[in-house]
Amino acid sequence: MITSPRNARVAAARKLRRPRVRRETRRTLIEGPFLLEEARSAGIIVDEVFALAGDAETAASCHREGWQLHEVAPDVMTALASSINPRGPVAIAAIPDSPRIECRDSVVLWGVADPGNAGTIIRTASAFGFQVIATAGSVDLWSPKVLRAGVGGHFRANPVEGMAADPVVLQSAGLRPLVATSAGVTSVHDAVRGEEPVALVVGNEAHGVPEEVIGAPGVETFMIPMPGGTESLNAAVAASISMYLRIAGR
């Protein structure tokens, strides 16, 4: 059993909390039995698994799949996990190669910075069958916190990362960029209709979608009605509403 958080294997795993290390190794940390099972079902390569002593379910999975298992003490699990009072397991898993942008309904994270918002959008997009695209200035989609918020959606959606911050990229893929703004003149119901695949652009939580993007040729704006008088909606909520109305109107 590994009893020290300073153990070499534990230290190497903890380095995967850093975006630079994840980019260089194409590895990340996944936490909990559900995410581990989702990764297995998706064919994700799992290098090592850290589990508490007595976790028979994880031990059986490791034996069945041929994963390397390390039993760890509770304080070591706490050091590995990003959640509070973790029960494990925590696994080192491969990050899939980022796919190419496809010509189908998509949601675009344009500088989205909050891990919870990014994960929730990925989770919703996975449920509704949307492609997920993120610009280079967005949060690292494969960080442990985004993965936790995505609740397995990553392994079904396999998001596209690192898109250049230029709406022409979306248009060249055959997508119609749509941006929700408080000043939009088109209703969300009208904006999301049509046969042409749409790209619902979700901006940074503090600054929104840049004005140069909103004003670019071919980019359409729309408004989500808020009769209650609230100034704005959470980024993930706005994205989820727009995605739902898109599939409901097909």
Side-chain angles (χ1 to χ4, degrees), residues 205-228:
E205 293 82 357
H207 307 294
V209 179
E211 288 297 328
E212 60 268 24
V213 174
I214 294 174
V219 177
E220 303 175 33
T221 61
F222 65 91
M223 180 177 62
I224 298 175
M226 292 181 289

Side-chain angles (χ1 to χ4, degrees), residues 184-195:
V185 293
T186 304
S187 75
V188 61
H189 301 278
D190 292 333
V192 298
R193 290 184 180 138
E195 297 299 322

Side-chain angles (χ1 to χ4, degrees), residues 196-207:
E196 183 182 5
V198 302
L200 299 167
V201 180
V202 184
N204 176 270
E205 293 82 357
H207 307 294

